[in-house]
Amino acid sequence: MLTVRDVTFDVLRRHGMTTLFANPGSTEVPLLCGLPDDLSFVLALHEGSVVGMATGVAIATRRPALALLHTTAGLGNAVGAIATARVNRAPLVVIVGQQDRRHLALEPFLTGRLAGLAGDYPVWFDQPPRAQDVPGAIARAWHEAQTWRGPALVVVPMDDWPAEMDPHEVIAAPRQLIRAGRPPELRDTLGTSAAPDMRDVLAIDLHSSADVVPELAALVAEARTPVIVAGSGADSSRTWAALVALAEHLGCPVWQESFGARAGFPQDHALHAGVLPAGRAQQRAALGGHDLVLVVGAAALRHYPYQPGPLVEEGTRIAVVTDDPAEAHRSPADLAVLGPPATVCEGLLAELGVPAEAGRTWRTGERDPGVTGPGPGEPMSARHVLAALAVRLAPDTVVVEETPSSRPDLHRILPARRPLGFVSAAMGGLGFALPAAVGLRMAAPERPMVAVVGDGSAIYGVQALWSAVRYQVGALFVVLANGRYAVMDRLADMHEGGKAPWPSFEEVSLSGLARSFGCPAIRVEDHDHLLAVLDEVVPTLPTRTEPLLLDVAVVPDTVFRP
């Protein structure tokens, strides 16, 4: 079994940080004793000199250098030098020692209150929550320091170094990161002897359509069974077109990222495989048999709840394309490309020889929800409501979702057919959909706007209806009212830990609340009434200026489908 220390040394070697500048104390002894011969130790007699020497190396090489500081005293002594490194745009990785985790709660001797001690001068600061997260934090610190040109700090308790580390443990950082939009001689890749400063980045137009990343093209060309995972960052007409062309050229399936805030690919396209399941084991199975996972517009990969094991099967490589540095820096990928997804994907198509006009249009067929209305004596469920919407809403309708227990059904029955066709809250907190739908309609008045919201979610954002009325925002709010937090009930059932203590709230009337804010509302309790209302209202959505809330009584789903 490897230790955290062993894996960290491999990270240092991979990133070229083989010289450690330090004035060590007791909290650093478990790291430094028995230092491997291929790593060099340089002693300084004050922490300001430690960081100052590392700063000189970073300025000369334009690559992050490594400094090691001793808890509060060491970091405190080095703050002035850290500030200088930041202003000098010198990339540094600074490891700060800390007392043993096992008695930190008692604040033992040499405990450091380290967060914020260096003020705003670090470009990034992390205290890894587990010992096994330390190697990934140090790898990410390298990327953060190189991207933002300054010192990135990682706090490591002394008992983390000998902790065992499973070989399948995920290191949350890419092995190689490339910043797109820069010519090869300026590219900041691992293994180069010099990297540019921020002026080089600003001098390049990152939105040039001529950007080509040969390293990414080589990965894709070598893959025999690639698969694409499209994320929220791919939700634009240009990126949809590029991904359609790429998927059709490769003949590969395209999954939507789990918990995505928007759709990164037309969900009615024949190659759309669905939304990735949330569990790591289920994701691993869904992506199994593919030798390359190309993630575009998202990090790799998002899960809930926690499951152990590797992200993908052995032998599968991961590449990420994103314009979000945090997504790139935390992705355990073989290659991360930091740049506009549309631009990078267009460059990839050019490198692969795919005609520029490919993918400009995609199939938009009639929605087949696969669900009809309730049978005789059967109560109305969320699926029946979604199916009624599916056959009536125009392809350019923006659907804002906040119905956790019904979200998998919404993805399946009501697929996004245009960019911005699906919008949701990626964070997971409630209260997003109603106000977001109001703002979206204000910003895009030409798009029909429908918010599909659970009653538990709607309660958190119901005040937005007053603004919708006041500012004549003609959105349709469809509330799936089951009188409870259905997703919480299902999670409690799965937990098998006894009866959940929270009650239902069937007495809450969303239509009543809507009217109290001046918003027209209709209570719908049977399927025929629902169809009649939708037939009347949906044709008015493109030009409507008056909001309407439908308070639709549904029974909670009996099966939870995460």
Side-chain angles (χ1 to χ4, degrees), residues 61 122 130 168 191 225 227 229 251 270 282 299 309 339 404 468 470-471 473 481 500 514 543 562:
T61 63
R130 303 180 307 149
H168 290 143
T225 56
V227 60
V229 176
Q282 291 76 21
R470 176 65 177 79
Y471 298 103
V473 177
T543 58

Side-chain angles (χ1 to χ4, degrees), residues 51-101:
V51 173
M53 287 192 289
T55 298
V57 171
I59 290 172
T61 63
R62 297 187 176 186
R63 292 170 57 82
L66 178 63
L68 181 64
L69 301 177
H70 174 54
T71 191
T72 305
L75 178 57
N77 286 342
V79 168
I82 288 171
T84 298
R86 173 67 180 272
V87 177
N88 281 358
R89 292 183 173 177
L92 301 179
V93 173
V94 181
I95 299 175
V96 183
Q98 175 64 295
Q99 252 295 338
D100 194 303
R101 281 182 189 268

